[in-house]
Amino acid sequence: MAVFENCTIDFPHPKKMLAEKPNFHPGFKMSEIPSDSTWGAHDPAIFKDPETGYYYAYCTHYIFYRSKDMINWENMGKIMEKPPKDAIEWTRSKDMWAPDIIKVGDEYRLYCSNSSWGVQQSIIFLAVSNHAEGPFLPRGTVLKTDDTMPVNGIDANLVIEEETGIPYMVYGSFWGGCHILKLDKETGLAAEAGVGTCLARRPKFMDTAVEGPYIRYHKETGYYYLFVSYGSLHNDYNIRVGRSKCITGPYLDHNGRAMTDLDDIDNSLGFMPMCGYHFEGDKAYMGPGHNSVLCDDDGRWYLFCHIREADFKYPQLSNMHIYQMFFTEDGWPVVNPMRYAGERRQKIERKDIVGRYDRIRLAPAMPQGVTNSVSLKLNQNGRMECCSIIGTWKMKGEDMIELQYGPIKETLFVCPAWDWERMEPTLALTGTDNQGICIFGRKITVKKTVKGNV
């Protein structure tokens, strides 16, 4: 394991391993997955019930999960059995995709997408309950779309405008991009005609591939943050972010470019905190996306997404991953690359940071594949070595470091973490360089020298 001698760091130590991947074979059925496993979770929408304190993740195909700590999850079965009759008549489908939930007064409002693959004949309907676990009763259609329209009515997310308390629904997938629609406070149904305002879109040569919009407001920065997924959920999914002072946009990225800009020839539009990644010696992961975001009661932020083990030839089963999220000094969200295990920010001594790391630079690519790690060494004397790159590093506050090489400066959080792949504590690095590119790091195993070995 990574060496931490005379260390005062309070590392997380989960009590049990995560559930192993089930045998994903032809004819596989979700019923084969153990009840304490999140394998098979897709499009997770996180919700913390203020009444019970439980965390819930509502997913595609009606499945929902419950947890007390965001580490151990229980599959609760189906949140409902089928869409309402009028929805089925419109879509000719009985499936339910990407639900999202909001509590208004004593009422839990579940917004559900009813559709089928590759079409715009879709419906977002509202179902209500007096409990987060249901039963939910249909109230009505929020949005109905078909192929004569510039949008697709799926992937709903609910957000409240801070200044007015007015609810909005952001939604959309491919075709004309992601839109935002005003809702009625009392009914939760649409309060305006039409499809709303476009917030994010992509060029046709990129298959207009943007979906899974999710908006949350950050009181400390004063921005609404729009998270979207670029690419295909099966392989090159990646998460992009824009922000705005106004809930209806425009949402701009770290370079000041609007998320609706179609002049994106190199796939660089949008701040990218997460894409396919691979730390040396571990499993490679591809397609993190359709994320949701939680600001917990203690002010800590978390990113939920589905993700797959990297395999670009054969389909892979999705799984739900949870990552703690931090905000940079200039107000952009970055992700702890080690999956959440109960870690907390704290003072980190310089001596514990010194050592070897696997480092990943999450640079935009086209398509956005899996980014591999390279070796990084932080020496005691302040020298930084990363392959042929030589620079310096220094402490910045109690739990941050700054790396400098040539004109590039990286500012990184140093966070105690649990390495679920190796089942051991480690230090994680996350942050950005001065070009707005996100950086991941993981302190690696150091084998102690044994006398007599060559």
Side-chain angles (χ1 to χ4, degrees):
M1 62 179 288
V3 175
F4 300 102
E5 295 180 350
N6 302 316
C7 178
T8 60
I9 299 174
D10 183 17
F11 287 103
H13 284 85
K15 295 180 180 179
K16 66 175 185 178
M17 296 180 64
L18 297 174
E20 293 185 1
K21 181 181 178 181
N23 179 23
F24 188 42
H25 55 83
F28 177 83
K29 295 181 180 179
M30 294 290 287
S31 59
E32 299 176 40
I33 301 174
S35 62
D36 63 346
S37 170
T38 59
W39 280 99
H42 196 76
D43 304 331
I46 181 60
F47 173 71
K48 186 175 184 181
D49 185 4
E51 301 300 321
T52 64
Y54 275 114
Y55 300 92
Y56 290 93
Y58 300 88
C59 299
T60 283
H61 307 318
Y62 306 98
I63 304 300
F64 75 114
Y65 302 83
R66 186 177 72 178
S67 175
K68 269 292 187 183
D69 57 11
M70 292 190 290
I71 302 171
N72 302 288
W73 292 86
E74 177 186 6
N75 187 326
M76 301 295 291
K78 290 188 175 183
I79 194 64
M80 67 174 64
E81 288 301 318
K82 63 181 180 179
K85 181 181 178 182
D86 58 340
I88 296 173
E89 289 176 349
W90 178 256
T91 65
R92 298 292 188 265
S93 169
K94 294 184 179 180
D95 205 358
M96 189 264 276
W97 296 351
D100 192 32
I101 194 169
I102 189 170
K103 188 173 187 287
V104 179
D106 294 329
E107 185 174 74
Y108 294 82
R109 297 176 176 176
L110 188 70
Y111 290 76
C112 309
S113 301
N114 174 217
S115 187
S116 55
W117 186 258
V119 302
Q120 290 171 264
Q121 193 85 4
S122 307
I123 271 183
I124 297 173
F125 67 89
L126 169 61
V128 299
S129 178
N130 60 4
H131 194 281
E133 298 180 14
F136 284 88
L137 301 177
R139 170 167 291 170
T141 296
V142 185
L143 181 70
K144 180 188 292 186
T145 63
D146 61 27
D147 59 9
T148 68
M149 302 170 71
V151 297
N152 190 22
I154 65 171
D155 294 358
N157 164 242
L158 293 307
V159 58
I160 303 296
E161 187 174 36
E162 287 293 309
E163 300 84 354
T164 64
I166 295 174
Y168 284 81
M169 179 181 76
V170 59
Y171 72 95
S173 173
F174 287 70
W175 285 281
C178 300
H179 289 62
I180 190 167
L181 188 70
K182 184 185 293 186
L183 302 179
D184 182 87
K185 284 185 179 181
E186 298 302 318
T187 66
L189 302 176
E192 60 178 324
V195 299
T197 302
C198 183
L199 301 183
R201 57 184 181 170
R202 302 198 68 207
K204 286 186 178 180
F205 80 90
M206 293 178 177
D207 200 26
T208 66
V210 57
E211 60 185 2
Y214 200 90
I215 293 177
R216 282 296 177 263
Y217 180 75
H218 194 312
K219 292 182 179 179
E220 293 184 10
T221 68
Y223 282 103
Y224 294 91
Y225 290 85
L226 168 67
F227 295 77
V228 294
S229 296
Y230 279 9
S232 168
L233 63 89
H234 294 298
N235 41 58
D236 64 345
Y237 239 13
N238 59 99
I239 298 170
R240 304 292 175 110
V241 182
R243 66 184 186 185
S244 176
K245 291 287 186 177
C246 177
I247 195 170
T248 55
Y251 284 83
L252 308 181
D253 72 2
H254 55 298
N255 292 316
R257 298 171 63 195
M259 298 291 285
T260 53
D261 188 356
L262 293 180
D263 185 16
D264 187 23
I265 62 172
D266 57 358
N267 198 31
S268 63
L269 180 62
F271 179 82
M272 187 173 69
M274 195 75 174
C275 66
Y277 66 95
H278 178 212
F279 286 112
E280 185 176 357
D282 292 351
K283 294 185 184 73
Y285 290 100
M286 70 180 189
H290 204 113
N291 74 281
S292 57
V293 171
L294 172 70
C295 179
D296 210 348
D297 301 333
D298 58 7
R300 294 184 175 94
W301 288 79
Y302 302 89
L303 182 142
F304 286 65
C305 67
H306 69 243
I307 197 167
R308 289 172 165 81
E309 292 180 1
D311 186 341
F312 291 95
K313 294 181 180 179
Y314 302 100
Q316 290 296 309
L317 187 65
S318 62
N319 194 5
M320 181 172 72
H321 279 197
I322 302 144
Y323 303 87
Q324 190 167 180
M325 195 164 63
F326 312 111
F327 283 81
T328 64
E329 290 180 344
D330 54 353
W332 289 100
V334 294
V335 175
N336 181 345
M338 298 289 102
R339 298 167 64 180
Y340 180 65
E343 68 272 5
R344 294 291 182 264
R345 288 184 64 180
Q346 58 194 269
K347 182 178 180 179
I348 309 295
E349 300 290 342
R350 190 178 188 280
K351 67 177 179 62
D352 294 319
I353 297 173
V354 171
R356 294 185 179 273
Y357 294 78
D358 286 323
R359 172 188 178 273
I360 301 174
R361 186 172 185 264
L362 281 63
M366 189 168 60
Q368 194 69 50
V370 173
T371 306
N372 293 307
S373 67
V374 296
S375 177
L376 168 69
K377 186 178 181 182
L378 302 180
N379 294 312
Q380 177 64 39
N381 63 2
R383 177 183 168 95
M384 181 210 88
E385 302 171 16
C386 184
C387 297
S388 61
I389 304 301
I390 304 300
T392 61
W393 75 278
K394 64 181 180 180
M395 295 293 299
K396 183 179 173 68
E398 290 190 343
D399 66 345
M400 300 184 73
I401 58 174
E402 190 174 275
L403 281 63
Q404 181 83 47
Y405 47 98
I408 305 299
K409 181 186 292 184
E410 297 177 9
T411 305
L412 309 176
F413 294 91
V414 183
C415 185
W418 183 255
D419 188 335
W420 289 99
E421 301 290 334
R422 304 185 180 198
M423 290 302 291
E424 64 183 31
T426 189
L427 287 178
L429 306 178
T430 187
T432 65
D433 64 19
N434 54 0
Q435 298 177 324
I437 304 299
C438 288
I439 308 296
F440 282 174
R442 184 269 310 268
K443 197 166 189 182
I444 61 173
T445 297
V446 177
K447 294 183 179 180
K448 294 185 177 181
T449 302
V450 178
K451 207 174 223 184
N453 283 2
V454 178

Coordinates of all heavy atoms in Angstrom, one line a residue, residues 241-270:
V241 N -20.0 20.8 -18.3 CA -20.7 21.7 -17.4 C -20.6 23.1 -17.9 O -19.6 23.6 -18.4 CB -20.0 21.7 -16.0 CG1 -20.7 22.7 -15.0 CG2 -20.0 20.3 -15.4
G242 N -21.7 23.8 -17.8 CA -21.8 25.3 -18.0 C -22.4 25.9 -16.8 O -23.1 25.2 -16.0
R243 N -22.3 27.2 -16.7 CA -22.9 27.9 -15.5 C -23.5 29.2 -16.0 O -23.1 29.8 -17.0 CB -21.9 28.1 -14.4 CG -20.8 29.0 -14.7 CD -19.8 29.1 -13.6 NE -18.8 30.1 -13.9 CZ -17.7 30.4 -13.1 NH1 -17.5 29.6 -12.1 NH2 -16.8 31.3 -13.4
S244 N -24.5 29.7 -15.1 CA -25.2 30.9 -15.5 C -25.7 31.5 -14.2 O -26.0 30.9 -13.2 CB -26.4 30.6 -16.4 OG -27.1 31.8 -16.6
K245 N -25.8 32.9 -14.2 CA -26.4 33.6 -13.0 C -27.9 33.5 -13.1 O -28.6 33.9 -12.2 CB -25.9 35.0 -13.0 CG -24.5 35.2 -12.7 CD -24.2 34.9 -11.2 CE -22.7 35.3 -10.8 NZ -22.5 35.1 -9.4
C246 N -28.4 33.1 -14.3 CA -29.9 33.1 -14.6 C -30.3 31.6 -14.8 O -29.6 30.9 -15.6 CB -30.2 34.0 -15.7 SG -32.0 33.9 -16.2
I247 N -31.3 31.2 -14.3 CA -31.7 29.8 -14.4 C -32.0 29.4 -15.8 O -31.8 28.2 -16.2 CB -32.9 29.4 -13.5 CG1 -33.1 27.9 -13.3 CG2 -34.2 30.1 -14.0 CD1 -34.1 27.6 -12.3
T248 N -32.5 30.3 -16.6 CA -32.8 30.0 -18.0 C -31.6 30.3 -19.0 O -31.8 30.3 -20.2 CB -34.0 30.8 -18.5 OG1 -33.8 32.2 -18.2 CG2 -35.3 30.3 -17.7
G249 N -30.5 30.6 -18.4 CA -29.3 30.8 -19.2 C -29.1 32.2 -19.7 O -29.8 33.1 -19.2
P250 N -28.1 32.4 -20.6 CA -27.3 31.4 -21.2 C -26.2 30.8 -20.3 O -25.7 31.4 -19.4 CB -26.6 32.1 -22.4 CG -26.5 33.5 -21.8 CD -27.7 33.8 -21.0
Y251 N -25.9 29.5 -20.5 CA -24.9 28.8 -19.7 C -23.6 28.8 -20.5 O -23.5 28.4 -21.6 CB -25.4 27.3 -19.4 CG -26.4 27.3 -18.4 CD1 -27.8 27.5 -18.7 CD2 -26.1 27.0 -17.0 CE1 -28.8 27.5 -17.7 CE2 -27.1 27.0 -16.0 CZ -28.4 27.3 -16.4 OH -29.4 27.3 -15.4
L252 N -22.6 29.3 -19.8 CA -21.2 29.4 -20.4 C -20.2 28.5 -19.8 O -20.4 28.1 -18.6 CB -20.7 30.9 -20.3 CG -21.7 32.0 -20.7 CD1 -21.0 33.4 -20.5 CD2 -22.1 31.8 -22.1
D253 N -19.3 28.0 -20.6 CA -18.2 27.2 -20.0 C -17.1 28.0 -19.5 O -17.1 29.3 -19.4 CB -17.7 26.2 -21.1 CG -16.9 26.8 -22.2 OD1 -16.6 28.0 -22.2 OD2 -16.5 26.0 -23.1
H254 N -16.0 27.4 -19.1 CA -14.8 28.1 -18.5 C -14.1 29.0 -19.4 O -13.3 29.8 -19.0 CB -13.8 27.0 -17.9 CG -13.4 26.0 -19.0 ND1 -14.2 25.2 -19.6 CD2 -12.2 25.8 -19.5 CE1 -13.6 24.4 -20.5 NE2 -12.3 24.8 -20.4
N255 N -14.4 28.9 -20.7 CA -13.8 29.8 -21.7 C -14.8 30.9 -22.2 O -14.5 31.6 -23.1 CB -13.3 29.0 -22.9 CG -12.1 28.1 -22.6 OD1 -11.2 28.6 -21.9 ND2 -12.1 26.9 -23.1
G256 N -15.9 30.9 -21.5 CA -16.9 31.9 -21.8 C -17.7 31.6 -23.1 O -18.4 32.5 -23.6
R257 N -17.7 30.4 -23.5 CA -18.5 29.9 -24.7 C -19.8 29.4 -24.3 O -20.0 28.6 -23.3 CB -17.7 28.9 -25.5 CG -16.4 29.3 -26.0 CD -15.6 28.2 -26.6 NE -16.2 27.6 -27.7 CZ -15.9 26.4 -28.2 NH1 -14.9 25.7 -27.6 NH2 -16.5 25.9 -29.2
A258 N -20.9 29.8 -25.0 CA -22.2 29.3 -24.7 C -22.4 27.8 -25.0 O -21.8 27.3 -26.0 CB -23.2 30.1 -25.5
M259 N -23.1 27.1 -24.1 CA -23.3 25.7 -24.3 C -24.2 25.4 -25.5 O -24.4 24.2 -25.9 CB -23.9 25.1 -23.1 CG -23.0 25.2 -21.8 SD -21.5 24.1 -21.9 CE -22.2 22.5 -21.6
T260 N -24.7 26.4 -26.2 CA -25.5 26.2 -27.4 C -24.7 26.5 -28.6 O -25.2 26.4 -29.8 CB -26.7 27.2 -27.4 OG1 -26.2 28.5 -27.2 CG2 -27.7 26.8 -26.3
D261 N -23.4 26.8 -28.5 CA -22.5 27.1 -29.6 C -22.3 25.8 -30.5 O -21.8 24.8 -30.0 CB -21.2 27.6 -29.1 CG -20.3 28.2 -30.2 OD1 -20.7 28.0 -31.4 OD2 -19.2 28.7 -29.9
L262 N -22.6 25.9 -31.7 CA -22.4 24.8 -32.6 C -21.1 24.8 -33.3 O -20.7 23.8 -34.0 CB -23.5 24.7 -33.7 CG -25.0 24.5 -33.2 CD1 -25.9 24.5 -34.3 CD2 -25.0 23.2 -32.4
D263 N -20.3 25.8 -33.1 CA -18.9 25.9 -33.6 C -18.0 25.2 -32.7 O -17.2 25.8 -32.0 CB -18.5 27.3 -33.9 CG -17.2 27.4 -34.6 OD1 -16.7 26.4 -35.1 OD2 -16.6 28.5 -34.5
D264 N -18.0 23.8 -32.7 CA -17.2 23.0 -31.7 C -16.5 21.9 -32.5 O -16.8 20.7 -32.3 CB -18.2 22.5 -30.7 CG -17.4 21.8 -29.5 OD1 -16.2 22.0 -29.3 OD2 -18.0 20.9 -28.9
I265 N -15.6 22.3 -33.3 CA -15.0 21.3 -34.2 C -14.0 20.3 -33.5 O -13.7 19.3 -34.1 CB -14.2 22.0 -35.4 CG1 -13.1 22.9 -34.8 CG2 -15.1 22.8 -36.2 CD1 -12.1 23.4 -35.9
D266 N -13.6 20.7 -32.3 CA -12.7 19.8 -31.6 C -13.2 19.2 -30.3 O -12.5 18.7 -29.5 CB -11.3 20.5 -31.3 CG -11.6 21.8 -30.5 OD1 -12.7 22.1 -30.2 OD2 -10.5 22.4 -30.2
N267 N -14.5 19.3 -30.1 CA -15.2 18.7 -28.9 C -14.7 19.3 -27.6 O -14.6 18.7 -26.6 CB -15.0 17.2 -28.9 CG -15.9 16.5 -28.0 OD1 -17.1 16.9 -27.8 ND2 -15.5 15.4 -27.4
S268 N -14.3 20.6 -27.7 CA -13.8 21.3 -26.5 C -14.8 22.1 -25.7 O -14.4 22.6 -24.6 CB -12.6 22.2 -26.9 OG -13.0 23.2 -27.7
L269 N -16.0 22.2 -26.2 CA -17.0 23.1 -25.5 C -17.5 22.4 -24.2 O -17.7 21.2 -24.2 CB -18.2 23.3 -26.5 CG -19.3 24.1 -25.9 CD1 -18.9 25.5 -25.6 CD2 -20.5 24.1 -26.9
G270 N -17.5 23.2 -23.2 CA -18.0 22.7 -21.9 C -16.8 22.3 -21.0 O -15.9 21.7 -21.4

